[in-house]
Amino acid sequence: MDGPFTGEKAGTPCEKAAGAADGPAFASTGPKGHRQRMRQRVLKRGADSLADYEILEMLLFPGVPRRDTKPQAKALINHFGSLAAVLEAPAESLKKQGVGPLSTRLLTLMPAVADSMAKPEEQVRVVLGSWDALLQYCDVHYARLPAGQMRVLFLDSRNQLLADEQVPDEAETSASQPAASKAQTAKAMEEALRSAVAFLLQRVLAVNASAVITIRLTPVTLEPDRQMAADTPFVQMLLKEAPLFAVDVHDHLVLKKGEWRSFRLVGQEW
C-alpha cells in the first residue's frame, strides 16, 4: 500500500469515522508537512536560514514528490564532500548515487544559473544613429519637460546614449541684470555662454563621450527660427571648443510642439 504508513491497521468503522471527523492527528508530519514547514521557513527567514543539506533537500523536492529527501541530501553531501561539490558533479556521478533523471537535470543546471547571476547585467543603451530614432527619443522623453531649457545627449562612438542632461541656462546671468548697459549685458552673456560650454565639455570627459547633440526646447512665446538665431552664439562657441576635447558635435536641434529645426540640415555652422 502506498503512503507513509504502509503497515498500518485497517481499523474498525467507528475508528475510521472518528478519524474522519477529527482530521489527521499530526497534519504536519510526513514529507508534505515537512516540505511546507521548510518553505515557510525560507519565506520568513530567507535561504540563509537553511543548512547546506536542507538546501539540497529542497532542490530534490521536484524530482522526489512523495518521499523524504533529507537522507538522500545528507548522503550526497557525505559522498561528494560539500553542497558545491554535489552541484558541480557530473550527471553520471549523480545517477550512480541514486539521483533520478529530473533531479539530475536540475542539480547540474545550478552552476550555470549561479554563473549567470554572478555576471553584471549589461545595460541596454538607446542607439540614436538615425533621425527617426533621435526624434522618437525626443518625443518620448521631452514631452513634459519645461520649455526653454537646453538638453545635451552624450553619445559613445556607436551613437549609444550615455547620458541625457540639462545644460545650465546661459541667459540666466544677463537676465538677472536688467539695468546693465549693452556692453555689460554682452559681457555677461559671453561669460554665461562660456560657463555653459565649459560645463558641457566637463561632462563629456566625465561620461567618456565621443559625441554630443544639443537640443533646445523652445518656449511657447518664441518661434523655432528665432530660437535658432538666439542659440547661434552658443553653437558657435561649442563648435570652436569641442575639437580641443576630441568630441564631435553631431547637431543642435530646436524643438517646439512637434516642430523641429536642425542647424546641420540648414547649413549653419557646419
Side-chain angles (χ1 to χ4, degrees), residues 122-128 155-156 159-163 207:
E122 294 185 4
Q123 183 179 4
V124 179
R125 290 178 176 167
V126 176
V127 178
L128 302 177
L155 309 175
D156 64 11
N159 290 326
Q160 296 181 116
L161 182 63
L162 301 174
V207 302

Side-chain angles (χ1 to χ4, degrees), residues 83-103:
L83 173 61
V86 173
L87 298 179
E88 294 172 356
E92 289 301 320
S93 298
L94 292 173
K95 290 177 182 178
K96 288 181 180 179
Q97 297 305 312
V99 180
L102 180 58
S103 294

Side-chain angles (χ1 to χ4, degrees), residues 202-221:
Q202 287 172 0
R203 294 298 299 150
V204 162
L205 297 177
V207 302
N208 196 28
S210 299
V212 296
I213 299 173
T214 50
I215 300 171
R216 170 72 73 181
L217 307 183
T218 307
V220 178
T221 57

Side-chain angles (χ1 to χ4, degrees), residues 227-240:
Q227 183 66 70
M228 286 186 70
D231 285 344
T232 297
F234 171 82
V235 177
Q236 288 176 333
M237 188 176 293
L238 179 59
L239 287 171
K240 181 180 178 181

Side-chain angles (χ1 to χ4, degrees), residues 145-213:
L145 291 184
Q149 66 175 268
M150 186 185 296
R151 310 292 303 185
V152 55
L153 304 177
F154 298 94
L155 309 175
D156 64 11
S157 58
R158 297 181 180 180
N159 290 326
Q160 296 181 116
L161 182 63
L162 301 174
D164 177 352
E165 300 178 3
Q166 181 179 356
V167 179
D169 186 0
E170 71 278 4
E172 184 177 355
T173 303
S174 60
S176 65
Q177 301 177 357
S181 66
K182 289 184 178 181
Q184 290 174 326
T185 301
K187 183 178 179 180
M189 177 64 77
E190 184 177 357
E191 290 177 354
L193 286 173
R194 289 192 180 279
S195 176
V197 171
F199 165 83
L200 191 153
L201 295 176
Q202 287 172 0
R203 294 298 299 150
V204 162
L205 297 177
V207 302
N208 196 28
S210 299
V212 296
I213 299 173

